[in-house]
Amino acid sequence: MDCENIKIELSGNPFVDTGLAVISSLAGLNKIDELTLADLKRVHGDGLQLTEWNSKLKAFTQVFGTNNPLYQASYGYKGGPSGTNKAIYRSVLEGLLNEIRKPGKGLKCWACGEFSDFNLARVFKKAVEDNGRKAPEERWVGRDWFPLAGSLGSDAQALPAGSQPPYICAKCLFAIHYLPMGLILLDGRLVVFQSTSIEFWYELVRDIVNEVRGRVYSGIYETLGSNEGNNVIMKRIFEVFKRLQKEKYYGSVPAGTALYIWRFSNSGTSPDCMIEEIPNSAIIFLWEAVKEGLEPDLASLIKTEGKNPRYSLFQCILNKRDYPNLYPEGKKKGASPKLFALYQTYICNHSERALHMAWKLAKKIAENVSEKELHRLQRPEALQEAGVRSRFRASMVQMAGEGEFTLNDYLDLFPLKEGQGVNVEWDGWKLFRFYLHHINEDLPQPEDRKQIITKSFPQLHYYAGQIFNHYVKEKGKDRFQREILLQMKRRLDIPWLRDQFVKLAESENGFTYGNWLKFCTLDDGKLYIPELLFQMRLLWTQWGYENRGSVDISGSTEEDSFDGLPEEIKVLLKSIFIDYVERRGLDRFYKDVLLRLRQKEIGLFWFKQKLTTKVLEQVDPIEQEKWEEFLVDEEGQSIKAERLFQLHLFLANFYRVRRLILKQD
């Protein structure tokens, strides 16, 4: 095979590959895998055009600095490259081009991994001396030859130098010089791209090259993206998608396509680089937005953005955050329902069903208020009010009782926060605010194109199921409805849930103080149960609609044996239990102690008497002073209710374990 027609393969290095993509684009190739050495030589020609471009493009010095042949003062640079600067630069490029694909078994290139015998010092020396100047004996790769390359005597970057400079082959060094034609600027940093789809990546680079070339021919040499704001990348992706859809290049985004953005600075004393991903879901969102003709809508939203880049469309998409400009506020109309739905499903990970539920709930609320009250509810701050949120929660429960709403729907709207305890993210409330502005627009029934599998708190179903099963078994479904669900309108509280724990601890696993803390306290240690009680209420209402007499509880929850009690008190409690059971039996302990504790006939005073009085000869009681210390926290605040709960739970769990042992015997 003629070596001129040997294909030039991509390297995997984003800087080199972008340079190769620029050359392929200038060669008019539809696919980058068609690039050959002959194309490189045809595009480059005598090097005059590239030399002229790079002598004027601001991006060139942003990539290579001013310590390169084209800008070196010792070769005549003064306010611009001299004839000698340009001649030496052209000679260097010609030398690099002639070294490409020469057989070699020397060193492995740090950029592409191919072996080569290429010697930069030799090529550079010849180029300088051929143009009548004296060349240094040594020349190695640093940041003036390759972006973010470490060099001897300087800081290490993407290609760090330890005891030797980076080794880069001729092909990679040559390709890099076409990089300025394929760059854009974002937040003061240059940007190159990579993608899981080579085709999509190449189309994006092609559009950038064509735009830069058009600007150069018009005498504009500023780096593309300067003064364009935070959404310079979004604009280019829109344009690529519009062209591809018009050309019917793709029917849809290639499966798994993600775009990686390399933002880098190669100048000054602090070069750096950061890599960000625009994930597949975001790429699909942008594709669908263009397909649905929503690009002008997005463009108009972008125009209203403030200066803080955190709230730009680009950053919101990168971080999978809600985009503030989607929502009506003041004179801003916000997004259309169609654009809003696309963003929420692909970026914020809500299902179409969840959005439909938010619309139905907003519509239900709006139909029962005056026009004046509706305007008040549409304000951004309205949903900060507990009373307004309570209206929506009441409607959720009502819909659950009619079979139109489930706990999964709720958790799709309000995903669980990570960490201990049951708490949810706030952003779901903003969905209601959006749809309060669109109650007269019918939303299509969800296609479940993007159905989300929601996850409840791991122990919620177990505890809710145990409470439901025991209550219905003892008192029936009607009394559960009347005494629990209807009472929850007036908010069952912490003491009620504690009562359920101590009662069920007598017969079921998992009702320990350690589990209580994991279930009912947040990461900061504060007790928080309104959210878990509401989620239980939704579950119980759902089960009521399904007319269940019991629910299946698969297995049991993991038991945390932590009890929060000092060791000496635990020893005394065990002694009290053993003594009582030996004298009167296990059933009498249940009736005389556990049942009476649940009925509030005995309490802390009973425990005080038992723990400060000698029960067994071999076990000493605690002193009165220690008992009083036991009832306050480190800050001196009373924790009597918490201590009574811990003591009661300990005895209830101890009773359950001993009863099981006796049954086995």
Side-chain angles (χ1 to χ4, degrees):
M1 179 186 290
D2 183 356
C3 67
E4 296 288 298
N5 292 317
I6 292 177
K7 286 190 175 182
I8 300 296
E9 304 289 344
L10 292 174
S11 69
N13 182 283
F15 307 114
V16 173
D17 290 346
T18 300
L20 293 174
V22 171
I23 297 170
S24 298
S25 179
L26 295 173
L29 303 180
N30 290 323
K31 296 182 179 180
I32 195 169
D33 59 9
E34 298 173 350
L35 183 66
T36 65
L37 181 56
D39 293 317
L40 263 64
K41 292 185 176 182
R42 174 167 58 86
V43 168
H44 188 69
D46 59 9
L48 276 172
Q49 186 178 61
L50 181 64
T51 300
E52 288 304 312
W53 284 344
N54 284 345
S55 66
K56 296 175 182 177
L57 283 170
K58 188 173 181 180
F60 181 82
T61 54
Q62 290 172 319
V63 173
F64 296 100
T66 57
N67 193 34
N68 58 80
L70 192 55
Y71 279 77
Q72 209 164 76
S74 60
Y75 300 145
Y77 179 89
K78 190 174 182 181
S82 67
T84 303
N85 284 121
K86 293 179 180 180
I88 293 174
Y89 181 66
R90 285 177 57 204
S91 296
V92 169
L93 292 177
E94 184 181 359
L96 294 174
L97 186 58
N98 291 334
E99 290 288 319
I100 297 175
R101 285 296 180 181
K102 282 188 177 180
K105 297 182 180 179
L107 299 174
K108 180 185 286 190
C109 174
W110 290 24
C112 69
E114 295 182 7
F115 288 95
S116 170
D117 291 325
F118 170 68
N119 186 301
L120 174 62
R122 183 175 64 239
V123 169
F124 183 74
K125 183 177 181 180
K126 183 177 186 305
V128 174
E129 291 179 348
D130 284 352
N131 287 280
R133 295 300 180 99
K134 184 177 180 181
E137 292 299 320
E138 295 185 2
R139 175 63 63 175
W140 52 73
V141 173
R143 285 196 285 121
D144 52 340
W145 288 94
F146 197 94
L148 305 180
S151 59
L152 292 179
S154 78
D155 52 334
Q157 298 299 327
L159 300 176
S163 58
Q164 61 182 21
Y167 180 75
I168 309 294
C169 72
K171 177 193 74 176
C172 293
L173 287 179
F174 178 80
I176 286 294
H177 286 272
Y178 281 85
L179 187 58
M181 292 290 293
L183 294 173
I184 63 175
L185 201 64
L186 175 65
D187 293 337
R189 287 184 173 84
L190 297 170
V191 171
V192 292
F193 302 98
Q194 281 185 313
S195 177
T196 52
S197 168
I198 292 175
E199 293 85 1
F200 167 55
W201 163 78
Y202 180 51
E203 294 299 327
L204 180 58
V205 177
R206 283 178 72 184
D207 273 15
I208 292 171
V209 173
N210 289 335
E211 189 173 355
V212 172
R213 183 164 54 173
R215 287 161 59 96
V216 168
Y217 289 152
S218 300
I220 302 171
Y221 302 105
E222 286 289 322
T223 306
L224 187 63
S226 299
N227 303 315
E228 287 192 37
N230 301 307
N231 290 292
V232 56
I233 292 175
M234 295 293 99
K235 294 176 186 176
R236 270 67 193 183
I237 293 176
F238 289 150
E239 292 303 316
V240 171
F241 282 172
K242 282 165 66 177
R243 177 172 61 80
L244 293 179
Q245 289 177 13
K246 184 178 180 180
E247 296 171 356
K248 297 184 178 179
Y249 192 85
Y250 292 128
S252 60
V253 175
T257 298
L259 183 66
Y260 298 92
I261 300 165
W262 289 62
R263 286 203 276 174
F264 71 100
S265 171
N266 195 48
S267 59
T269 58
S270 301
D272 63 8
C273 180
M274 60 187 298
I275 306 171
E276 296 172 306
E277 178 188 5
I278 300 182
N280 179 250
S281 58
I283 297 294
I284 295 175
F285 159 70
L286 295 170
W287 177 272
E288 292 295 324
V290 172
K291 184 178 179 181
E292 295 291 337
L294 299 173
E295 186 266 334
D297 294 356
L298 272 173
S300 66
L301 294 180
I302 289 171
K303 286 180 182 177
T304 65
E305 288 180 358
K307 294 183 179 180
N308 190 336
R310 171 178 167 78
Y311 302 109
S312 68
L313 175 64
F314 176 68
Q315 284 299 326
C316 287
I317 285 177
L318 283 186
N319 299 316
K320 294 186 176 181
R321 284 189 288 106
D322 212 353
Y323 179 47
N325 280 14
L326 294 173
Y327 297 89
E329 186 171 355
K331 295 182 179 180
K332 297 179 182 178
K333 292 183 178 181
S336 66
K338 182 178 284 188
L339 177 57
F340 184 80
L342 275 179
Y343 192 93
Q344 294 301 325
T345 52
Y346 287 110
I347 306 302
C348 297
N349 213 32
H350 290 299
S351 72
E352 291 178 354
R353 176 177 169 83
L355 300 179
H356 198 77
M357 289 295 105
W359 173 75
K360 285 184 72 172
L361 283 160
K363 192 174 179 69
K364 183 183 284 287
I365 295 293
E367 288 172 347
N368 292 285
V369 299
S370 66
E371 186 175 344
K372 181 179 179 181
E373 177 65 3
L374 176 59
H375 286 314
R376 191 183 76 82
L377 293 176
Q378 290 172 340
R379 294 179 305 161
E381 63 272 17
L383 285 161
Q384 300 283 346
E385 300 173 20
V388 175
R389 296 197 303 275
S390 293
R391 286 191 201 179
F392 278 94
R393 286 175 177 259
S395 292
M396 292 175 200
V397 173
Q398 182 183 347
M399 288 176 63
E402 297 165 355
E404 296 182 1
F405 194 80
T406 67
L407 177 62
N408 272 352
D409 290 328
Y410 176 77
L411 292 174
D412 198 347
L413 290 166
F414 299 95
L416 285 170
K417 284 185 177 180
E418 293 185 3
Q420 184 170 286
V422 181
N423 203 3
V424 294
E425 299 290 348
W426 173 265
D427 281 357
W429 293 110
K430 294 193 293 186
L431 301 180
F432 298 125
R433 181 166 77 83
F434 178 85
Y435 286 116
L436 282 170
H437 288 267
H438 296 277
I439 55 174
N440 295 322
E441 299 179 47
D442 288 336
L443 266 65
Q445 286 293 329
E447 301 174 3
D448 288 333
R449 179 179 71 232
K450 187 173 171 50
Q451 186 62 45
I452 305 300
I453 300 174
T454 52
K455 293 183 179 180
S456 62
F457 190 82
Q459 287 79 41
L460 184 80
H461 189 276
Y462 176 78
Y463 290 123
Q466 289 287 12
I467 293 171
F468 180 82
N469 286 347
H470 278 259
Y471 210 102
V472 170
K473 183 179 180 181
E474 289 181 4
K475 301 181 180 181
K477 288 186 289 183
D478 290 342
R479 286 189 65 179
F480 184 85
Q481 174 74 24
R482 186 170 64 253
E483 297 174 6
I484 301 299
L485 288 180
L486 293 181
Q487 286 295 321
M488 291 190 88
K489 290 183 179 180
R490 292 184 285 274
R491 274 183 92 180
L492 297 178
D493 53 13
I494 294 170
W496 178 84
L497 191 58
R498 281 177 173 161
D499 288 346
Q500 305 309 307
F501 252 70
V502 293
K503 178 182 178 180
L504 291 166
E506 298 168 0
S507 58
E508 306 297 339
N509 293 329
F511 289 87
T512 64
Y513 187 67
N515 285 84
W516 167 269
L517 292 178
K518 289 180 179 178
F519 191 46
C520 301
T521 62
L522 304 181
D523 288 342
D524 60 4
K526 291 181 180 178
L527 195 62
Y528 183 73
I529 70 163
E531 182 59 41
L532 71 89
L533 284 176
F534 178 73
Q535 291 188 26
M536 283 184 172
R537 184 184 180 189
L538 279 177
L539 262 182
W540 291 332
T541 305
Q542 188 180 325
W543 293 340
Y545 169 77
E546 296 165 357
N547 200 28
R548 295 197 193 189
S550 65
V551 293
D552 177 45
I553 304 171
S554 54
S556 63
T557 190
E558 182 180 344
E559 184 153 307
D560 186 333
S561 60
F562 176 72
D563 49 50
L565 297 173
E567 189 62 34
E568 58 183 330
I569 286 182
K570 289 191 285 186
V571 170
L572 282 167
L573 289 172
K574 291 176 183 178
S575 300
I576 292 167
F577 177 89
I578 292 168
D579 175 66
Y580 209 103
V581 170
E582 286 180 350
R583 288 187 293 108
R584 301 187 180 185
L586 195 63
D587 290 341
R588 284 295 300 272
F589 179 83
Y590 172 76
K591 293 176 182 178
D592 295 347
V593 179
L594 293 180
L595 195 57
R596 292 180 70 203
L597 279 169
R598 282 204 274 123
Q599 294 171 345
K600 309 295 189 292
E601 294 175 6
I602 58 175
L604 271 181
F605 184 72
W606 182 87
F607 278 107
K608 176 183 177 181
Q609 285 183 315
K610 296 298 181 182
L611 294 172
T612 58
T613 304
K614 198 171 187 67
V615 177
L616 297 176
E617 285 298 324
Q618 62 270 32
V619 182
D620 293 327
I622 64 171
E623 297 175 357
Q624 181 79 21
E625 185 178 346
K626 275 198 171 181
W627 169 255
E628 297 299 330
E629 291 175 357
F630 175 65
L631 299 180
V632 296
D633 61 18
E634 294 178 354
E635 297 176 353
Q637 301 295 316
S638 174
I639 52 171
K640 289 181 179 180
E642 190 76 4
R643 288 307 194 192
L644 176 58
F645 178 54
Q646 289 175 287
L647 295 166
H648 189 170
L649 261 185
F650 183 88
L651 283 182
N653 278 288
F654 197 66
Y655 162 80
R656 173 176 54 84
V657 173
R658 293 298 293 233
R659 191 181 64 173
L660 287 173
I661 292 172
L662 289 174
K663 280 185 177 181
Q664 291 171 358
D665 293 342

